[in-house]
Amino acid sequence: MAAEQSAGRGREPGATTVALLVPCYVDLLAPQITLATRRVLERAGCRVRDDFGPGCCGQLHLNSGVRRDAARLARAQLESLAGADVVVSPSASCISTIRRRYTELLPRLREDAQRLCRSSFELGEFLVRELGCPRLGSRFPHRVALLESCHGLRELGLGTRHEGSGECETRVTEQVLRTVDALELLRPRRPEECCGFGGSFSVKLPELSVRIGRSRLRALAETGAEFMTATDLSCLLHLDGLRRREGYGPRPIHLAEILASGLAP
Amino acid sequence: MRVPLDRHAVRSLPDAASVERHDAAVFDLRARRDGAMAELPELEALRHHAASIKAHTLDHLERYLRLFERRALQAGAQVHWAAEARDHNRIVHELLARRGVSRVVKSKSMLTEDCGLNPYLEARGIDVVDSDLGERIVQLADERPSHLVVPAVHRRREEIGDLFHERMGIPAGESDPARLTEYARRDLRPRFLAAQAGLTGVNFAIAETGSLVLCTNEGNADLGMSLPPLHIACMGIEKIIPTLDDLAVFLRLLARSATGQPITAYTSLLTGPRPGAELHIVVVDDGRSRLLADSRHRGALACIRCGACLNTCPVYRHAGGHAWGRAVSGPIGSVLAPALGTDREARQLPLASTLCGSCTAVCPVRIDLHDQLLHWRSEVAPPSGLERLGLHLLAEVLRRPRLYRGLKTLACAAWPLLRRRWPGNPLGAWLRGRELPEWPRPSPQEPTSGPPRAPEPSP
């Protein structure tokens, strides 16, 4: 079934073949997010290819200070995605790594990298900006608090910031959640605050990572939400780890899983 | 493995209550900044303009420094050049010693803090009184400032009352900020009157006029440079801006970024000494020209020390400035430390960031702070030994889908062991305050969200 509306950049869903970029840690720890993403994209009318296999964008290596390994991974990713018109991933930070770092990491493959930058999207971003935010028939009758993942928020411009620059007034992730029936969307105080995960930061500065995470968990719990959602599984893993240790707080659910809820098989 | 700053944070802000209080106090500054900026529709244009003025000035720094020196001399000031921190301290001491000065009042200056001027002068028999209220508090407590703009933000007002009771003899149990300020004022006034020299920092130095600009909220710098017959102003080479018109741009951004004020309560321009007095300007390099030559990181010299990146940084707010162990803390401190610092811990500071990018988003002069932190990591803090090897092997596995799938099964078998706490567990750092997810998850075909459970009330 095709989407009801198609504004956005006027991409015709039916004519779009999407390469599903499955982040390595999603493939390892939460494969259900991959299936959910696939269902959402198919429901939006796209043809989905996931024969590109799970891949690593190189973010962990880049952030850990090993640029050579990061560049190798970026190169492998670039080669494996070379045949795709459009790349969609259920991870804002993987997409932001591709978009903001690949041309610099791969100076000799600059043109290919730039092409990939232009054609790669986070899932919600793709639905809103490329397909015009179609109503897919998702239904999730729960109170959900939105945690804005930093890379989605600041590097992809998916949310509103109070940092005062007024650069992004679009609230992409919010928009896509508003297409879900019966979902009550809640925003925690300090909506643009980092959860404290930070990749290698979470194990190299565990005390601070946990301190920041506790502040965030409290803010999310104060909304009275049953679930917390985000565009990145990593933020959710960190906060869920805290939730289970501390014994309170909303349960984690990835954006793709919400969008796939209530869709007929 | 563990970055030292993480341990220092435990000393800097020892318990949950102090973390919460510090986080709230500092975030309040960020919120005030947001409010002030929301009223400035041309904010983005101003930020771009400010960044371009700084970039231009840094590109032609030598020319503007020479012009500044010429104009300052014409106005009757004297200019001294210090290559290193120790030269700076020596020059200041000589100026004071030659005039037999033993009592000095000093207004806020991160540069002199960085150079360790106070202990240097005190060791040579010169009494230095910090006259900024926050700096006076940390001086009385025998500490360093913990914030660029609000040096005593880590202190509760009750603690400040106790400190004043102990060191200034005020009645015990005082904690009202207005009354504490009044006590400090009464204690400082005679010290201003008795001072033989005033030391100040510099917020901006105008090349075309040879003027210095000082921005304070307490007027202490004005008093310190107006009463004694000798004024010594200390500045880094990066404080130069070309013209008075340029100053207008920075004055609109500085106080708004720092505290949300439209402008600091006192903004003073001085060109040359007042009649009958001396003005000496000490211009310090101390590693800055080395940073200037580094095209990737030179942008950090554009910093106007507003503190906005500290106020917005979740790591700073939850760690406290003392965890950095140096005068300039927070994101800008971590960006400058690897370039200007020489110690091992300075090189580890770029790791103390979640790379959330909020610092970059609020910086009034558009320094790409979090990108710089990322670059510093590979330049000065690449992993070594087992960690390096582990990351390399991981990259090799991740590049080979078939190998990856095989090892996935193996990792799956080891997972239950890794989720438990035991000495030597490689995931032990994660498990300090967090659980690891169950894995492998139930087969993907099964519904994963399950029936929702009502959340427990927050504590």
Side-chain angles (χ1 to χ4, degrees):
Chain A
M1 188 174 74
E4 282 170 29
Q5 39 181 152
S6 181
R9 238 162 257 176
R11 207 181 271 280
E12 272 301 319
T16 305
T17 301
V18 171
L20 179 54
L21 171 61
V22 182
C24 48
Y25 73 107
V26 166
D27 180 69
L28 273 173
L29 296 170
Q32 78 278 6
I33 294 175
T34 308
L35 294 180
T37 308
R38 194 191 168 99
R39 275 177 76 191
V40 168
L41 287 170
E42 283 174 350
R43 179 52 61 99
C46 299
R47 282 197 300 272
V48 180
R49 283 180 60 189
D50 58 2
D51 52 342
F52 296 94
C56 176
C57 62
Q59 180 176 203
L60 171 68
H61 293 81
L62 183 64
N63 291 359
S64 302
V66 281
R67 290 185 95 82
R68 246 177 65 163
D69 284 328
R72 279 202 193 123
L73 285 164
R75 197 190 163 129
Q77 199 64 257
L78 198 65
E79 281 164 5
S80 104
L81 293 169
D85 304 332
V86 177
V87 177
V88 174
S89 180
S91 165
S93 68
C94 295
I95 293 297
S96 126
T97 300
I98 291 177
R99 218 182 275 173
R100 294 209 60 222
R101 312 286 175 200
Y102 271 23
T103 46
E104 181 194 294
L105 272 177
L106 303 168
R108 270 181 289 176
L109 298 167
R110 203 182 161 76
E111 274 175 34
D112 292 343
Q114 280 171 337
R115 198 173 321 121
L116 184 63
C117 294
R118 282 193 301 271
S119 59
S120 302
F121 303 94
E122 181 273 329
L123 173 65
E125 179 188 32
F126 179 70
L127 293 172
V128 171
R129 292 193 176 144
E130 297 296 306
L131 300 185
C133 200
R135 285 194 90 85
L136 304 170
S138 324
R139 183 178 159 77
F140 194 71
H142 300 290
R143 296 186 302 278
V144 178
L146 172 61
L147 173 78
E148 297 272 16
S149 305
C150 295
H151 292 159
L153 180 68
R154 299 197 181 81
E155 301 193 334
L156 304 181
L158 303 184
T160 301
R161 300 202 314 250
H162 295 76
E163 283 154 1
S165 68
E167 272 171 80
C168 41
E169 291 297 329
T170 41
R171 297 194 180 193
V172 169
T173 311
E174 248 188 68
Q175 260 189 62
V176 76
L177 281 169
R178 294 210 185 279
T179 66
V180 178
D181 285 337
L183 181 147
E184 188 187 339
L185 184 62
L186 301 161
R187 285 171 72 80
R189 67 191 157 86
R190 299 191 194 173
E192 69 274 43
E193 180 101 326
C194 176
C195 71
F197 170 70
S200 59
F201 179 87
S202 66
V203 290
K204 291 193 170 183
L205 294 97
E207 169 70 24
L208 284 167
S209 180
V210 166
R211 281 185 180 185
I212 300 169
R214 282 196 192 120
S215 297
R216 215 72 290 260
L217 185 67
R218 204 161 51 229
L220 288 158
E222 278 167 10
T223 63
E226 299 155 81
F227 289 91
M228 54 182 168
T229 194
T231 52
D232 268 311
L233 173 66
S234 49
C235 313
L236 293 172
L237 279 178
H238 167 64
L239 288 174
D240 184 47
L242 273 167
R243 174 187 76 93
R244 281 185 289 134
R245 180 66 62 85
E246 313 250 319
Y248 80 95
R251 299 167 61 200
I253 185 164
H254 190 274
L255 176 68
E257 294 176 275
I258 293 183
L259 295 176
S261 295
L263 297 184
Chain B
M1 254 299 275
R2 192 172 168 197
V3 173
L5 186 135
D6 198 52
R7 281 197 307 273
H8 301 333
V10 181
R11 255 186 293 126
S12 162
L13 297 174
D15 49 50
S18 62
V19 172
E20 201 174 324
R21 195 204 57 80
H22 184 264
D23 173 50
V26 177
F27 191 84
D28 183 56
L29 291 170
R30 158 62 214 280
R32 286 167 196 258
R33 171 222 172 263
D34 293 349
M37 292 307 191
E39 288 169 16
L40 214 59
E42 70 276 36
L43 172 62
E44 280 314 302
L46 265 180
R47 286 176 76 214
H48 277 278
H49 193 33
S52 71
I53 293 169
K54 280 286 185 179
H56 166 84
T57 314
L58 291 173
D59 283 345
H60 304 93
L61 192 58
E62 190 184 339
R63 193 176 94 205
Y64 284 118
L65 280 167
R66 286 180 193 283
L67 178 62
F68 172 76
E69 181 185 37
R70 214 159 53 235
R71 294 289 152 84
L73 290 174
Q74 281 165 8
Q78 295 188 53
V79 180
H80 310 262
W81 300 91
E84 308 275 341
R86 59 169 180 271
D87 302 321
H88 160 265
N89 292 350
R90 183 179 42 77
I91 291 166
V92 173
H93 176 247
E94 278 173 14
L95 287 169
L96 297 171
R98 240 182 265 145
R99 288 158 187 79
V101 171
S102 60
R103 290 183 309 275
V104 173
V105 278
K106 184 165 143 278
S107 70
K108 205 145 90 39
S109 151
M110 295 321 286
L111 174 74
T112 57
E113 185 63 39
D114 214 18
C115 295
L117 182 66
N118 281 19
Y120 183 91
L121 293 180
E122 280 155 11
R124 284 155 186 80
I126 293 173
D127 179 42
V128 185
V129 174
D130 275 310
S131 61
D132 172 89
L133 178 56
E135 292 230 311
R136 184 69 181 145
I137 292 167
V138 296
Q139 187 179 35
L140 288 173
D142 203 16
E143 297 180 321
R144 304 183 80 166
S146 75
H147 189 288
L148 280 174
V149 176
V150 274
V153 69
H154 59 288
R155 288 265 170 191
R156 285 182 300 124
R157 50 196 173 131
E158 291 79 11
E159 290 175 321
I160 295 165
D162 293 346
L163 182 72
F164 282 9
H165 171 63
E166 203 181 293
R167 301 295 307 267
M168 289 176 357
I170 74 163
E174 186 61 79
S175 68
D176 176 58
R179 292 173 62 97
L180 287 173
T181 307
E182 192 50 41
Y183 280 119
R185 192 190 177 89
R186 269 187 238 162
D187 180 73
L188 279 172
R189 193 50 59 115
R191 297 176 196 273
F192 272 115
L193 293 169
Q196 299 153 298
L199 274 171
T200 69
V202 171
N203 289 95
F204 305 98
I206 318 268
E208 67 168 358
T209 58
S211 313
L212 303 176
V213 184
L214 280 119
C215 306
T216 71
N217 276 327
E218 299 167 21
N220 57 312
D222 303 76
L223 207 52
M225 69 197 187
S226 306
L227 290 174
L230 171 65
H231 173 199
I232 303 173
C234 306
M235 57 178 268
I237 55 171
E238 81 285 9
K239 292 288 170 188
I240 294 278
I241 53 174
T243 68
L244 277 171
D245 283 348
D246 297 329
L247 177 65
V249 176
F250 292 103
L251 288 183
R252 298 195 72 200
L253 287 167
L254 178 62
R256 283 187 170 90
S257 299
T259 57
Q261 294 167 275
I263 193 163
T264 42
Y266 297 84
T267 300
S268 302
L269 271 109
L270 66 152
T271 310
R274 59 176 209 279
E278 287 180 76
L279 170 62
H280 293 263
I281 304 168
V282 187
V283 187
V284 183
D285 183 331
D286 199 30
R288 288 166 176 78
S289 55
R290 205 168 56 236
L291 180 53
L292 190 65
D294 179 342
S295 59
R296 183 67 199 81
H297 295 290
R298 73 185 314 184
L301 288 172
C303 174
I304 58 172
R305 303 290 191 267
C306 69
C309 63
L310 280 65
N311 301 340
T312 204
C313 177
V315 179
Y316 174 84
R317 278 187 270 109
H318 289 81
H322 285 154
W324 269 256
R326 58 203 73 228
V328 182
S329 55
I332 185 65
S334 300
V335 163
L336 290 173
L340 304 180
T342 46
D343 50 311
R344 203 186 72 84
E345 286 197 8
R347 297 197 294 276
Q348 299 263 299
L349 286 176
L351 297 169
S353 165
T354 64
L355 301 177
C356 76
S358 190
C359 46
T360 303
V362 298
C363 178
V365 289
R366 295 178 58 93
I367 302 172
D368 55 346
L369 289 156
H370 79 293
D371 288 343
Q372 295 223 14
L373 289 171
L374 180 61
H375 276 270
W376 274 130
R377 288 183 181 186
S378 55
E379 290 166 36
V380 298
S384 57
L386 270 182
E387 192 191 350
R388 173 82 189 82
L389 182 67
L391 280 166
H392 180 63
L393 291 176
L394 180 65
E396 292 304 303
V397 171
L398 288 168
R399 270 167 27 149
R400 294 171 174 78
R402 227 178 295 163
L403 181 60
Y404 163 81
R405 284 195 192 95
L407 287 177
K408 192 168 141 182
T409 322
L410 205 69
C412 207
W415 192 251
L417 200 60
L418 291 171
R419 288 186 66 210
R420 277 201 294 275
R421 276 180 276 183
W422 44 274
N425 183 343
L427 299 179
W430 177 277
L431 292 167
R432 272 170 65 93
R434 291 157 290 199
E435 301 294 329
L436 279 164
E438 284 171 47
W439 187 55
R441 285 257 193 144
S443 107
Q445 276 73 27
E446 289 172 36
T448 46
S449 44
R453 190 166 52 96
E456 288 106 60
S458 56

